[in-house]
């Protein structure tokens, strides 16, 4: 049970295992088995199925009124597109089974790679891995990939509490379906019932790798090049093609010409009238953010990325790839069915998905409810906006994440003591036709496990080829000192700005001390200029600067003297949206030695190179377990 080794064939004979073991509050060790392989959508035991009226039927059924539908639990339906698409699966499911444990327990997960021709690692998103940095699951940073046929045993402590998730961290495997919820509960009685809700964007023509390659080299519809869609503030999204949204792996395709959908089955969340429910929502998508609302019900946001918030009631909230939000829903409406809606932030697109909130005793039919109408007398409040405002005609108000507060019982943020403090400016951008980068450095992955083989396979950054207003390729890292208060200034400015980026940090959560947004036209809500608190330097025209060596425009703000920092209950996050033309100031104490990846959680940007490593006191990293796997560059 205590083995850390790659074990060949350990679980090969355990094909009957379909679900993880149940872990109780009294257990000290919880053990799980995950098998990862490829599956096809809309197939059951070799039979093709097709959707109609929210159900699925075997391919040869012609009269559905007299036929027994296929059990949807036996099929990976995705958006119901009848031409089966290759997907990833964990224990035969997409998404994979939830892992539910209690705070402080030792978690052991045996991961078997049954993919045919791909390596694999599993990242435990949101966990600090304190004392076990080699269990973070980042290929060629904290471990060697698990090769096809091999099993790797992860072992770590469950902390911190909250809504987290696990996912592959290799290539595009996360968005082919290799992910699942990881819930760490407090060791106490929970009075609220819970629902887990993961949301993803989906393309039924191309797997995510092909989508990425087409985005990189050219994306066409026939002979017509595709143009990027836009947000309400005028910023552009990548040209990744969207067909459907999925909630817990289920959605339906809406024909963009007719607006009609294909009748695929949807996820159903069952509730009892009069009870309260905690919804744990995970943004597992590849690119697009979703705005989530529930017809006839308000949403009480209470946590994000596992950390408690001062509760705030909203009409809807926006979730980006990599984020999680918890909200409380009170089932205080008439017994019926209600739509749970998720719309992308794209304008002039019918890009959406739904799920069903079904009260006990309601008929098994689809809802007929409508979304709240925002008006002058009944305005809508939206949380986690990546911009400051909506046009006046929308009657909608924004709460940015900067407007939210941590719960009163959260620990206070570390303060600058005059000595043990460091500050780093990091600009996340795609300058010109260059790849995605951080400070103009395109991340090149090591060829070995950098944490456990630190003298091998690292591509150092040559400042002669990097520097201002240029792009270079290297294993970008910055050193941070153990015990220091670390302040990071995330910027999204200069030539490379254009869309918000959800930035995720491994190994830590950070306090969101301050966010600065761009300038917007009050009538159109369009972006008109960058926030001027930051000096991009470089090109005198800041819109042409690569912003590789930014600093504060007012140099008196250095050394922790930024005005307006939120010391009174700042919220905690591990993934934060950095607005286009703006910045975010985050802070944490360096108390977790390791090599911690920081990257944009938009899959395309991460693969292109919008990543770097925080080298947190590598000499203080504990020695890996005896026999921990090594790998070599064959050159």
């Amino acid at each position: 049970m205590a083995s850390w080794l790659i074990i060949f064939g350990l679980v090969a004979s355990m094909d009957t295992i379909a679900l993880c073991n149940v872990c109780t509050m009294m257990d000290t060790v919880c053990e799980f088995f995950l098998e990862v392989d490829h599956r096809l959508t809309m197939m059951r035991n070799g039979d093709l199925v097709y959707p109609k009226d929210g159900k699925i039927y075997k391919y040869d059924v012609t009269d559905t009124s007299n036929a027994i539908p296929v059990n949807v639990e036996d099929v990976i339906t995705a958006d119901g597109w009848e031409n089966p698409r290759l997907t990833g699966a964990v224990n035969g499911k997409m998404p994979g089974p939830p892992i539910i444990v209690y705070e402080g327990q030792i978690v052991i997960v045996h991961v078997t790679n049954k993919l045919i021709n791909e390596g694999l690692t599993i990242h435990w998103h949101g966990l600090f891995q304190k004392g076990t940095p080699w269990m973070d699951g980042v290929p060629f940073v904290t471990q060697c990939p698990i090769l096809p046929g091999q099993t790797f045993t992860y072992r770590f402590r469950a902390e911190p509490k909250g809504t987290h998730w696990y996912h592959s961290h290799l290539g595009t495997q996360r968005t082919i379906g290799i992910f699942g919820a990881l819930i760490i509960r407090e060791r106490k009685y929970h009075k609220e019932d819970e629902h887990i809700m993961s949301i993803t964007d989906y393309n039924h023509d191309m797997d995510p790798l092909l989508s990425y390659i087409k985005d990189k080299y050219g994306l066409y519809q026939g002979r017509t090049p595709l143009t990027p869609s836009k947000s309400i503030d005028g910023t552009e999204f990548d040209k990744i093609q969207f067909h459907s949204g999925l909630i817990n792996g289920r959605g339906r395709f809406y024909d963009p010409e007719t607006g009609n959908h294909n009748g695929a089955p949807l996820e159903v969340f069952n509730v009892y009238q009069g009870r309260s429910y905690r919804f744990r929502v995970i943004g597992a998508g590849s690119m697009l953010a979703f705005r989530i609302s529930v017809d006839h019900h308000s949403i009480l946001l209470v946590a994000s990325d596992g950390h408690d918030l001062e509760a705030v009631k909203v009409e809807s909230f926006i979730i980006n790839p990599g984020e999680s939000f918890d909200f409380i829903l009170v089932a205080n409406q008439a017994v019926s069915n209600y739509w749970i809606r998720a719309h992308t932030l794209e304008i002039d697109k019918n890009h959406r998905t739904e799920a069903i909130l079904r009260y006990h005793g309601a008929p098994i039919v689809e809802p007929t409810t409508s979304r709240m109408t925002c008006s002058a007398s009944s305005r809508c409040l939206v949380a986690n906006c990546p911009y400051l405002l909506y046009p006046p005609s929308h009657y909608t108000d924004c709460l940015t994440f900067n407007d939210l507060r941590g719960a009163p019982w959260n620990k206070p943020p570390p303060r600058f003591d005059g000595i043990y403090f460091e500050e780093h400016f990091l600009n996340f951008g795609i300058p010109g036709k260059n790849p995605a980068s951080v400070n103009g450095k395109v991340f090149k992955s090591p060829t070995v496990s950098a944490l456990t083989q630190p003298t091998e396979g690292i591509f150092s950054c040559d400042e002669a080829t990097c520097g201002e207003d240029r792009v270079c390729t290297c294993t970008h890292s910055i050193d941070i000192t153990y015990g220091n208060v670390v302040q990071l200034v995330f910027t999204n400015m200069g030539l490379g700005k254009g869309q918000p980026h959800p930035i995720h940090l491994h190994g830590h959560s950070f306090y969101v001390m301050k966010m600065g947004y761009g300038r917007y036209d009050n009538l159109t809500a369009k972006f008109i200029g960058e926030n001027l608190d930051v000096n991009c330097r470089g090109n005198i025209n800041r819109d042409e600067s690569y912003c590789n060596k930014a600093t504060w425009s007012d140099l008196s703000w250095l050394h922790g003297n930024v005005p307006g920092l939120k010391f009174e209950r700042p919220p905690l996050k591990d993934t934060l949206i950095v607005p286009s033309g703006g910045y975010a100031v985050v802070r944490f104490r360096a108390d977790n030695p390791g090599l911690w990846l920081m990257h944009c959680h938009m899959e395309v940007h991460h693969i292109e190179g919008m990543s770097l490593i925080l080298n947190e006191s590598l000499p203080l990293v504990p020695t890996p377990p005896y026999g921990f796997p090594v790998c070599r560059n064959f050159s």
Side-chain angles (χ1 to χ4, degrees):
M1 181 173 289
S3 174
W4 303 88
L5 303 178
I6 286 187
I7 307 166
F8 292 86
L10 175 67
V11 201
S13 62
M14 297 185 178
D15 291 337
T16 58
I17 296 177
L19 297 175
C20 297
N21 299 331
V22 176
C23 196
T24 70
M25 190 189 306
M26 304 308 297
D27 293 325
T28 56
V29 177
C30 301
E31 189 170 14
F32 303 87
F33 295 85
L34 301 182
E35 293 184 355
V36 178
D37 64 359
H38 282 122
R39 298 293 174 101
L40 290 175
T41 61
M42 298 303 286
M43 294 288 291
R44 178 181 179 270
N45 298 331
D47 290 328
L48 178 71
V49 297
Y50 71 92
K52 186 176 181 183
D53 298 329
K55 300 179 177 64
I56 50 175
Y57 298 89
K58 190 180 172 186
Y59 70 95
D60 56 358
V61 170
T62 56
D63 181 8
T64 59
S65 61
N66 294 311
I68 298 174
V70 173
N71 185 352
V72 295
E73 298 298 331
D74 297 336
V75 180
I76 297 175
T77 58
D79 70 347
W81 192 247
E82 290 184 42
N83 186 19
R85 206 201 80 177
L86 185 70
T87 188
V90 183
N91 290 3
K93 302 290 185 179
M94 190 280 284
I99 293 177
I100 301 175
V101 296
Y102 289 86
E103 195 171 18
Q105 291 174 329
I106 299 300
V107 181
I108 299 173
V109 188
H110 307 287
V111 176
T112 299
N113 180 3
K114 290 193 170 183
L115 302 172
I116 295 171
N117 58 357
E118 301 177 51
L120 170 74
T121 64
I122 297 295
H123 169 55
W124 313 95
H125 186 115
L127 274 65
F128 299 153
Q129 298 293 354
K130 203 163 188 177
T132 55
W134 0 266
M135 292 290 122
D136 194 41
V138 182
F140 300 117
V141 174
T142 63
Q143 72 172 97
C144 306
I146 310 164
L147 298 182
Q150 294 180 344
T151 296
F152 183 89
T153 299
Y154 291 93
R155 182 186 177 106
F156 51 84
R157 188 174 298 278
E159 58 182 12
K161 70 174 179 65
T163 300
H164 308 295
W165 54 305
Y166 64 88
H167 61 81
S168 171
H169 216 289
L170 191 62
T172 60
Q173 289 176 348
R174 167 170 58 90
T175 51
I176 67 169
I178 304 176
F179 70 90
L182 171 57
I183 309 301
I184 301 179
R185 292 175 171 165
E186 290 183 273
R187 287 183 184 250
K188 66 178 186 180
Y189 171 72
H190 295 264
K191 64 179 181 179
E192 291 149 349
D193 295 314
E194 296 185 350
H195 287 297
I196 297 171
M197 175 176 160
S198 65
I199 186 161
T200 60
D201 41 9
Y202 184 72
N203 180 311
H204 58 229
D205 286 342
M206 297 180 283
D207 63 66
L209 179 57
L210 181 56
S211 294
Y212 161 66
I213 296 297
K214 288 198 170 221
D215 179 68
K216 183 177 181 179
Y217 293 108
L219 190 57
Y220 291 79
Q221 189 77 42
R223 296 181 183 178
T224 304
L226 291 183
T227 57
S229 57
K230 292 187 176 183
S231 175
I232 202 164
D233 65 348
T235 57
E236 294 183 345
F237 297 100
D238 282 71
K239 291 181 284 188
I240 295 296
Q241 200 169 8
F242 174 101
H243 283 143
S244 312
L246 307 180
I247 292 177
N248 290 353
R250 295 178 185 161
R252 50 183 44 159
F253 174 61
Y254 282 85
D255 188 306
E257 301 297 327
T258 66
N260 298 326
H261 62 74
N262 62 354
L266 299 173
E267 182 75 340
V268 177
F269 297 97
N270 294 294
V271 298
Y272 282 83
Q273 188 182 45
R275 292 188 187 176
S276 294
Y277 293 83
R278 188 185 194 100
F279 278 73
R280 299 180 179 270
V281 188
I282 296 166
S286 66
M287 177 59 63
L288 296 172
F290 287 88
R291 179 178 168 185
I292 296 174
S293 63
V294 184
D295 287 0
H296 299 188
H297 294 75
S298 60
I299 286 172
L300 187 69
L301 286 183
V302 295
S304 183
D305 296 354
H307 297 284
D308 295 334
L309 297 170
E310 181 178 85
V312 58
K313 185 178 291 187
V314 296
E315 176 269 340
S316 58
F317 67 95
I318 293 168
I319 189 167
N320 298 277
E323 291 187 298
S324 73
F325 279 94
D326 291 18
F327 71 85
I328 304 298
L329 181 141
V330 181
N332 56 7
Q333 299 298 305
V335 172
S336 188
N337 296 284
Y338 300 86
W339 286 121
I340 298 174
R341 302 176 186 270
H343 290 253
T344 72
L345 301 189
E346 300 163 287
I347 57 173
D348 302 324
K349 300 281 187 182
N350 185 29
H351 287 171
R352 59 195 268 199
T353 189
E354 296 93 7
I356 297 172
L357 183 74
R358 175 165 292 150
Y359 279 62
H360 180 72
I364 310 300
V365 296
E366 293 198 352
T368 58
T369 57
S370 57
R371 189 174 181 176
M372 174 180 172
T373 300
C374 309
S375 65
S377 60
S378 183
R379 299 182 66 87
C380 292
L381 183 61
V382 186
N384 200 34
C385 289
Y387 32 69
L388 281 181
L389 69 162
Y390 282 81
S393 60
H394 286 227
Y395 300 108
T396 299
D397 300 316
C398 274
L399 275 178
T400 68
F401 200 81
N402 191 53
D403 296 320
L404 303 179
R405 304 180 73 192
W409 48 86
N410 291 355
K411 292 181 179 179
R415 288 183 176 267
F416 172 52
D417 62 4
I419 302 175
Y420 302 107
F421 180 87
E422 55 189 280
E423 184 173 47
H424 304 273
F425 285 77
L426 301 170
N427 190 54
F428 297 85
I430 310 174
K433 295 184 178 181
N434 293 292
S437 59
V438 184
N439 285 355
K441 295 175 181 176
V442 178
F443 185 77
K444 185 173 185 178
S445 176
T447 55
V448 301
S449 172
L451 180 69
T452 55
Q453 299 167 248
T455 62
E456 309 171 52
I458 309 297
F459 303 95
S460 60
C461 297
D462 179 7
E463 291 303 323
T465 57
C466 299
E468 284 190 353
D469 293 354
R470 64 181 70 177
V471 171
C472 63
T473 300
C474 57
T475 305
H476 184 190
S477 67
I478 58 175
D479 297 335
I480 60 176
T481 302
Y482 184 80
N484 276 4
V485 174
V486 179
Q487 183 161 292
L488 302 177
V489 184
F490 301 152
T491 62
N492 183 355
M493 294 183 171
L495 182 63
K497 67 176 178 293
Q499 60 181 295
H501 297 291
I503 304 304
H504 173 53
L505 173 62
H506 294 219
H508 290 275
S509 292
F510 47 73
Y511 291 91
V512 182
M513 305 297 293
K514 181 179 181 179
M515 296 180 71
Y517 286 76
R519 291 169 287 142
Y520 300 87
D521 185 288
N522 288 331
L523 294 179
T524 66
K526 293 290 189 289
F527 176 86
I528 57 174
E530 295 182 347
N531 190 298
L532 300 180
D533 291 347
V534 172
N535 178 6
C536 274
R537 299 196 278 197
N539 193 306
I540 193 170
N541 178 357
R542 65 181 296 134
D543 287 330
E544 294 299 320
S545 170
Y546 283 41
C547 215
N548 289 346
K549 294 189 175 182
T551 187
W552 295 116
S553 297
D554 185 340
L555 296 182
S556 69
W557 290 18
L558 293 170
H559 312 298
N561 295 320
V562 180
L565 293 182
K566 184 185 293 185
F567 286 101
E568 186 65 31
R569 291 201 276 146
L572 274 160
K573 288 279 276 175
D574 62 57
T575 306
L576 180 67
I577 195 72
V578 183
S580 182
Y583 66 88
V585 181
V586 306
R587 183 179 286 196
F588 63 92
R589 187 174 295 280
D591 58 1
N592 191 14
L595 294 183
W596 304 116
L597 195 68
M598 177 185 289
H599 60 96
C600 178
H601 223 277
M602 292 177 174
E603 198 165 63
V604 168
H605 298 170
H606 172 219
I607 294 171
E608 280 195 343
M610 195 177 283
S611 305
L612 74 155
I613 293 173
L614 296 191
N615 177 2
E616 185 172 345
S617 308
L618 190 58
L620 299 180
V621 171
T623 302
Y626 177 77
F628 193 84
V630 297
C631 40
R632 291 285 183 267
N633 186 343
F634 290 98
S635 64

